[in-house]
CSV table of all heavy atoms in Angstrom, one decimal:
chain,number,residue,atom,x,y,z
A,29,VAL,N,-7.7,-8.1,-5.6
A,29,VAL,CA,-7.7,-8.1,-7.1
A,29,VAL,C,-8.0,-6.8,-7.6
A,29,VAL,O,-9.0,-6.2,-7.2
A,29,VAL,CB,-8.6,-9.2,-7.6
A,29,VAL,CG1,-8.5,-9.2,-9.2
A,29,VAL,CG2,-8.3,-10.6,-7.1
A,30,PHE,N,-7.1,-6.2,-8.4
A,30,PHE,CA,-7.4,-4.9,-9.0
A,30,PHE,C,-7.8,-5.0,-10.4
A,30,PHE,O,-7.0,-5.6,-11.2
A,30,PHE,CB,-6.1,-4.0,-8.9
A,30,PHE,CG,-5.7,-3.8,-7.4
A,30,PHE,CD1,-4.7,-4.6,-6.9
A,30,PHE,CD2,-6.3,-2.9,-6.6
A,30,PHE,CE1,-4.3,-4.5,-5.6
A,30,PHE,CE2,-5.9,-2.7,-5.3
A,30,PHE,CZ,-4.9,-3.5,-4.8
A,31,ASP,N,-8.9,-4.4,-10.8
A,31,ASP,CA,-9.4,-4.5,-12.2
A,31,ASP,C,-8.6,-3.5,-13.0
A,31,ASP,O,-7.8,-2.7,-12.5
A,31,ASP,CB,-10.9,-4.2,-12.2
A,31,ASP,CG,-11.5,-4.9,-13.4
A,31,ASP,OD1,-10.8,-5.3,-14.3
A,31,ASP,OD2,-12.8,-5.2,-13.4
A,32,SER,N,-8.8,-3.5,-14.3
A,32,SER,CA,-8.0,-2.7,-15.2
A,32,SER,C,-8.2,-1.2,-15.0
A,32,SER,O,-7.4,-0.4,-15.5
A,32,SER,CB,-8.3,-3.1,-16.7
A,32,SER,OG,-9.7,-3.0,-16.9
A,33,ASP,N,-9.3,-0.8,-14.3
A,33,ASP,CA,-9.5,0.6,-14.1
A,33,ASP,C,-8.9,1.2,-12.8
A,33,ASP,O,-9.0,2.3,-12.5
A,33,ASP,CB,-11.0,1.0,-14.2
A,33,ASP,CG,-11.8,0.2,-13.1
A,33,ASP,OD1,-11.2,-0.6,-12.4
A,33,ASP,OD2,-13.0,0.3,-13.0
A,34,ALA,N,-8.3,0.3,-12.1
A,34,ALA,CA,-7.6,0.7,-10.8
A,34,ALA,C,-6.4,1.6,-11.1
A,34,ALA,O,-5.6,1.3,-12.0
A,34,ALA,CB,-7.2,-0.5,-10.0
A,35,THR,N,-6.2,2.7,-10.4
A,35,THR,CA,-5.0,3.5,-10.6
A,35,THR,C,-3.9,3.0,-9.7
A,35,THR,O,-4.1,2.2,-8.8
A,35,THR,CB,-5.4,5.0,-10.2
A,35,THR,OG1,-5.7,4.9,-8.8
A,35,THR,CG2,-6.5,5.5,-10.9
A,36,ASN,N,-2.7,3.5,-9.9
A,36,ASN,CA,-1.6,3.1,-9.1
A,36,ASN,C,-1.9,3.5,-7.6
A,36,ASN,O,-1.4,2.9,-6.7
A,36,ASN,CB,-0.3,3.8,-9.6
A,36,ASN,CG,0.4,2.9,-10.6
A,36,ASN,OD1,-0.1,2.0,-11.1
A,36,ASN,ND2,1.7,3.2,-10.9
A,37,GLU,N,-2.6,4.7,-7.5
A,37,GLU,CA,-2.9,5.1,-6.1
A,37,GLU,C,-3.8,4.1,-5.4
A,37,GLU,O,-3.6,3.8,-4.2
A,37,GLU,CB,-3.7,6.5,-6.2
A,37,GLU,CG,-4.0,7.1,-4.9
A,37,GLU,CD,-2.9,7.7,-4.1
A,37,GLU,OE1,-2.0,8.4,-4.7
A,37,GLU,OE2,-2.8,7.3,-2.9
A,38,ASP,N,-4.8,3.5,-6.1
A,38,ASP,CA,-5.7,2.5,-5.5
A,38,ASP,C,-4.8,1.3,-5.1
A,38,ASP,O,-5.0,0.7,-4.0
A,38,ASP,CB,-6.7,2.0,-6.6
A,38,ASP,CG,-7.6,3.1,-7.0
A,38,ASP,OD1,-7.8,4.0,-6.3
A,38,ASP,OD2,-8.1,3.0,-8.2
A,39,VAL,N,-3.9,0.9,-6.0
A,39,VAL,CA,-3.1,-0.3,-5.7
A,39,VAL,C,-2.2,0.0,-4.5
A,39,VAL,O,-2.1,-0.8,-3.6
A,39,VAL,CB,-2.2,-0.7,-7.0
A,39,VAL,CG1,-1.3,-1.8,-6.7
A,39,VAL,CG2,-3.1,-1.0,-8.2
A,40,TYR,N,-1.6,1.2,-4.5
A,40,TYR,CA,-0.7,1.6,-3.4
A,40,TYR,C,-1.4,1.5,-2.1
A,40,TYR,O,-0.9,0.9,-1.1
A,40,TYR,CB,-0.2,3.0,-3.7
A,40,TYR,CG,0.5,3.6,-2.5
A,40,TYR,CD1,1.7,3.0,-2.0
A,40,TYR,CD2,0.0,4.6,-1.7
A,40,TYR,CE1,2.4,3.5,-0.9
A,40,TYR,CE2,0.6,5.1,-0.6
A,40,TYR,CZ,1.8,4.6,-0.2
A,40,TYR,OH,2.4,5.1,0.9
A,41,ARG,N,-2.6,2.1,-2.0
A,41,ARG,CA,-3.4,2.1,-0.7
A,41,ARG,C,-3.5,0.8,-0.1
A,41,ARG,O,-3.5,0.6,1.1
A,41,ARG,CB,-4.8,2.7,-0.9
A,41,ARG,CG,-4.8,4.2,-1.0
A,41,ARG,CD,-4.7,4.9,0.3
A,41,ARG,NE,-3.9,6.2,0.2
A,41,ARG,CZ,-3.0,6.6,1.0
A,41,ARG,NH1,-2.7,5.9,2.0
A,41,ARG,NH2,-2.3,7.7,0.8
A,42,ARG,N,-3.7,-0.3,-1.0
A,42,ARG,CA,-4.1,-1.6,-0.5
A,42,ARG,C,-2.9,-2.5,-0.5
A,42,ARG,O,-3.0,-3.7,-0.2
A,42,ARG,CB,-5.3,-2.1,-1.2
A,42,ARG,CG,-6.5,-1.5,-0.7
A,42,ARG,CD,-7.7,-1.4,-1.6
A,42,ARG,NE,-8.1,-2.6,-2.3
A,42,ARG,CZ,-8.9,-2.7,-3.3
A,42,ARG,NH1,-9.3,-1.5,-3.9
A,42,ARG,NH2,-9.2,-3.8,-3.8
A,43,THR,N,-1.7,-2.1,-1.0
A,43,THR,CA,-0.6,-3.0,-1.0
A,43,THR,C,0.6,-2.4,-0.2
A,43,THR,O,1.0,-2.9,0.9
A,43,THR,CB,-0.1,-3.3,-2.4
A,43,THR,OG1,0.2,-2.0,-3.1
A,43,THR,CG2,-1.1,-4.1,-3.2
A,44,ALA,N,1.2,-1.3,-0.7
A,44,ALA,CA,2.4,-0.8,-0.1
A,44,ALA,C,2.2,0.1,1.1
A,44,ALA,O,3.0,0.2,2.0
A,44,ALA,CB,3.3,-0.1,-1.1
A,45,TYR,N,1.0,0.8,1.2
A,45,TYR,CA,0.8,1.8,2.3
A,45,TYR,C,0.9,1.1,3.6
A,45,TYR,O,1.5,1.6,4.5
A,45,TYR,CB,-0.5,2.5,2.1
A,45,TYR,CG,-0.8,3.5,3.2
A,45,TYR,CD1,0.1,4.6,3.4
A,45,TYR,CD2,-1.9,3.4,4.0
A,45,TYR,CE1,-0.1,5.5,4.4
A,45,TYR,CE2,-2.1,4.3,5.0
A,45,TYR,CZ,-1.2,5.3,5.2
A,45,TYR,OH,-1.4,6.2,6.2
A,46,PRO,N,0.2,-0.1,3.9
A,46,PRO,CA,0.4,-0.7,5.2
A,46,PRO,C,1.8,-1.0,5.5
A,46,PRO,O,2.2,-1.0,6.7
A,46,PRO,CB,-0.4,-2.0,5.0
A,46,PRO,CG,-1.4,-1.7,3.9
A,46,PRO,CD,-0.7,-0.8,3.0
A,47,LEU,N,2.7,-1.3,4.5
A,47,LEU,CA,4.1,-1.6,4.7
A,47,LEU,C,4.8,-0.3,5.2
A,47,LEU,O,5.7,-0.4,6.0
A,47,LEU,CB,4.7,-2.1,3.4
A,47,LEU,CG,4.1,-3.4,2.8
A,47,LEU,CD1,4.9,-3.9,1.6
A,47,LEU,CD2,4.1,-4.6,3.9
A,48,VAL,N,4.4,0.8,4.6
A,48,VAL,CA,5.0,2.1,5.0
A,48,VAL,C,4.8,2.3,6.5
A,48,VAL,O,5.6,2.7,7.3
A,48,VAL,CB,4.5,3.3,4.2
A,48,VAL,CG1,5.0,4.6,4.8
A,48,VAL,CG2,5.0,3.2,2.8
A,49,GLN,N,3.5,2.0,6.9
A,49,GLN,CA,3.2,2.2,8.4
A,49,GLN,C,4.0,1.2,9.2
A,49,GLN,O,4.5,1.6,10.3
A,49,GLN,CB,1.7,1.9,8.6
A,49,GLN,CG,0.8,3.0,7.9
A,49,GLN,CD,-0.6,2.6,7.9
A,49,GLN,OE1,-1.0,1.6,7.4
A,49,GLN,NE2,-1.5,3.5,8.5
A,50,TYR,N,4.2,0.0,8.7
A,50,TYR,CA,5.0,-1.0,9.4
A,50,TYR,C,6.4,-0.6,9.5
A,50,TYR,O,7.1,-0.8,10.5
A,50,TYR,CB,4.8,-2.3,8.7
A,50,TYR,CG,5.4,-3.5,9.5
A,50,TYR,CD1,4.9,-3.9,10.7
A,50,TYR,CD2,6.5,-4.2,8.9
A,50,TYR,CE1,5.5,-4.9,11.4
A,50,TYR,CE2,7.0,-5.3,9.6
A,50,TYR,CZ,6.5,-5.6,10.9
A,50,TYR,OH,7.1,-6.7,11.5
A,51,LEU,N,6.9,0.1,8.5
A,51,LEU,CA,8.3,0.6,8.5
A,51,LEU,C,8.6,1.5,9.7
A,51,LEU,O,9.6,1.4,10.3
A,51,LEU,CB,8.6,1.3,7.1
A,51,LEU,CG,9.9,2.1,7.0
A,51,LEU,CD1,11.0,1.2,6.7
A,51,LEU,CD2,9.7,3.1,5.8
A,52,PHE,N,7.6,2.3,10.0
A,52,PHE,CA,7.8,3.3,11.1
A,52,PHE,C,7.6,2.6,12.5
A,52,PHE,O,7.9,3.2,13.5
A,52,PHE,CB,6.9,4.5,10.9
A,52,PHE,CG,7.4,5.5,10.0
A,52,PHE,CD1,7.2,5.4,8.6
A,52,PHE,CD2,8.3,6.5,10.4
A,52,PHE,CE1,7.7,6.3,7.7
A,52,PHE,CE2,8.8,7.4,9.5
A,52,PHE,CZ,8.5,7.3,8.2
A,53,GLU,N,7.2,1.3,12.4
A,53,GLU,CA,7.1,0.6,13.7
A,53,GLU,C,8.4,-0.2,13.9
A,53,GLU,O,8.6,-1.0,14.8
A,53,GLU,CB,6.0,-0.4,13.7
A,53,GLU,CG,4.6,0.3,13.7
A,53,GLU,CD,3.5,-0.6,13.3
A,53,GLU,OE1,3.7,-1.9,13.4
A,53,GLU,OE2,2.4,-0.1,12.8
A,54,GLY,N,9.4,0.1,13.0
A,54,GLY,CA,10.7,-0.6,13.1
A,54,GLY,C,10.8,-1.9,12.3
A,54,GLY,O,11.7,-2.7,12.5
A,55,GLY,N,9.8,-2.1,11.5
A,55,GLY,CA,9.8,-3.4,10.8
A,55,GLY,C,10.5,-3.5,9.5
A,55,GLY,O,11.0,-2.4,9.0
A,56,LYS,N,10.6,-4.7,9.0
A,56,LYS,CA,11.3,-4.9,7.6
A,56,LYS,C,10.2,-5.3,6.7
A,56,LYS,O,9.4,-6.3,7.0
A,56,LYS,CB,12.3,-6.0,7.7
A,56,LYS,CG,13.6,-5.5,8.5
A,56,LYS,CD,14.7,-6.4,8.4
A,56,LYS,CE,16.0,-5.8,8.9
A,56,LYS,NZ,16.6,-6.7,9.9
A,57,ALA,N,10.0,-4.7,5.6
A,57,ALA,CA,8.9,-5.0,4.7
A,57,ALA,C,9.4,-5.1,3.2
A,57,ALA,O,10.4,-4.4,2.9
A,57,ALA,CB,7.8,-4.0,4.8
């Protein structure tokens, strides 16, 4: 859960960044 003071960078680190890592393992995300 991200509060109103969270930046897009904060959200990215905990949502899409793991998917980027998974992309390079040949995955679909």
Side-chain angles (χ1 to χ4, degrees):
V29 179
F30 300 98
D31 211 339
S32 51
D33 56 359
T35 62
N36 271 13
E37 182 73 49
D38 298 333
V39 176
Y40 168 69
R41 281 280 146 225
R42 283 151 54 193
T43 55
Y45 180 62
L47 301 180
V48 170
Q49 292 171 302
Y50 188 63
L51 170 74
F52 279 89
E53 293 162 23
K56 289 189 171 129

